[in-house]
Amino acid sequence: MTTFLSAVTADHFDTEVLQQHWIPVAADDADTAAVLRERLGIDFTAAHNQVWEAGNFVYLPVVANYQLGETIEQATIIFALGGEFLVTLQPSEHFVPFDKAVAKMRRNPELAGSAHGVMYALLWALNEASERVLHHAGDALAATGEEIERAISTGDRRDFATSDVRGALSRLNATERIIARTRETQLQLARAARHLRADAPSARVELDGAIGVLLADIDGVGQHAGVAYDKVRYRQQSALAGLDARQNEIVKAFAVTAVFLPPTLIATCYAVDLISELSWQTGLLVTCLLTLAAALIPLAYLKNKGLLR
């Protein structure tokens, strides 16, 4: 079998080799799904996006994250693993993240010689896709972090823009969601790889070792996602703290204005003799009391609202 597979040219690899053990089914291809249900007993609707075993197949769903251009996409892949065939329900018949799996099987043709080998290559490709997503998220996090640090730096705050920080926070929230989804993906990949290892023929020692390495790689990417998640949470807290500090400065500036504006107005009126009550014997005392009250009332109000921290 290995000799035959090695002799197959790359042009005929997909059609001549992969289809012997792998049947990809597009999610909207109801006709093919019906044929598989009739001939092999495969029923993806029974899985309900959870690990499910029925007949000769075990169903293993994985929600994959992958980079497509500058965007991060998400798709649910359901693996139906049997003794001779692996059937995948995927968004389209040509699912871009699996291109790396096909390339890996071209380099290692023995993987295409069994359903378990094909599934190993597909899980490997999805794990690689998760790692690329984390690198993309890391680059976005670094750029956003630098933007926030510039905005809330303790030096010159004249260029501070609250809208800029809020926009950066929005991008941080989007990055957090991507990383959180990737962490979930790694858990599902690890579960699928463990099922694959338990179901693989004991005679395939090399495949068993490769699956063991894959499990370690999946765990490594999961740990990377955990570190990235902690970083994005720290950035979010730093941005919120800087935003609160800047808003407090604005409120304090408003408080100073609110405290000194009324006394200034009264003093101005006094200076131009617009307050006729000053002709009273106690007019000066009344003016001073009014000035003091005009200063203390807004000060007490702002303090009661907790705006003078």
Side-chain angles (χ1 to χ4, degrees), residues 1-22 102-115 117-118 204:
M1 176 67 71
T2 301
T3 303
F4 168 75
L5 293 176
S6 301
V8 176
T9 64
D11 294 338
H12 296 86
F13 184 86
D14 294 352
T15 56
E16 297 293 334
V17 178
L18 289 180
Q19 291 183 0
Q20 294 180 11
H21 297 285
W22 178 29
V102 175
K104 185 177 183 66
M105 285 185 280
R106 285 197 182 106
R107 296 191 303 270
N108 303 278
E110 64 275 6
L111 292 175
S114 69
V118 173
R204 301 292 298 274

Side-chain angles (χ1 to χ4, degrees), residues 161-278:
T162 301
S163 60
D164 292 342
V165 178
R166 293 189 183 279
L169 273 172
S170 178
R171 291 190 291 276
L172 281 178
N173 292 336
T175 302
E176 180 190 17
R177 288 191 295 271
I178 290 171
I179 296 173
R181 292 203 309 256
T182 303
R183 296 178 74 180
E184 294 178 3
T185 294
Q186 295 311 108
L187 294 175
Q188 294 173 354
L189 284 174
R191 180 183 61 187
R194 287 193 297 269
H195 277 278
L196 174 64
R197 190 175 192 178
D199 194 71
S202 57
R204 301 292 298 274
V205 178
E206 292 183 1
L207 180 60
D208 182 75
I211 296 173
V213 173
L214 175 61
L215 278 166
D217 290 343
I218 291 172
D219 180 65
V221 175
Q223 293 181 17
H224 182 190
V227 172
Y229 188 81
D230 291 339
K231 285 182 179 180
V232 73
R233 294 293 292 176
Y234 171 77
R235 291 291 188 187
Q236 287 172 321
Q237 293 171 3
S238 298
L240 288 173
L243 192 61
D244 287 342
R246 181 56 177 166
Q247 288 177 336
N248 286 338
E249 289 183 2
I250 295 173
V251 170
K252 288 179 181 179
F254 168 75
V256 172
T257 302
V259 168
F260 287 102
L261 182 60
T264 302
L265 179 61
I266 294 175
T268 301
C269 293
Y270 174 78
V272 298
D273 198 20
L274 293 178
I275 303 179
S276 59
E277 286 77 3
L278 293 180

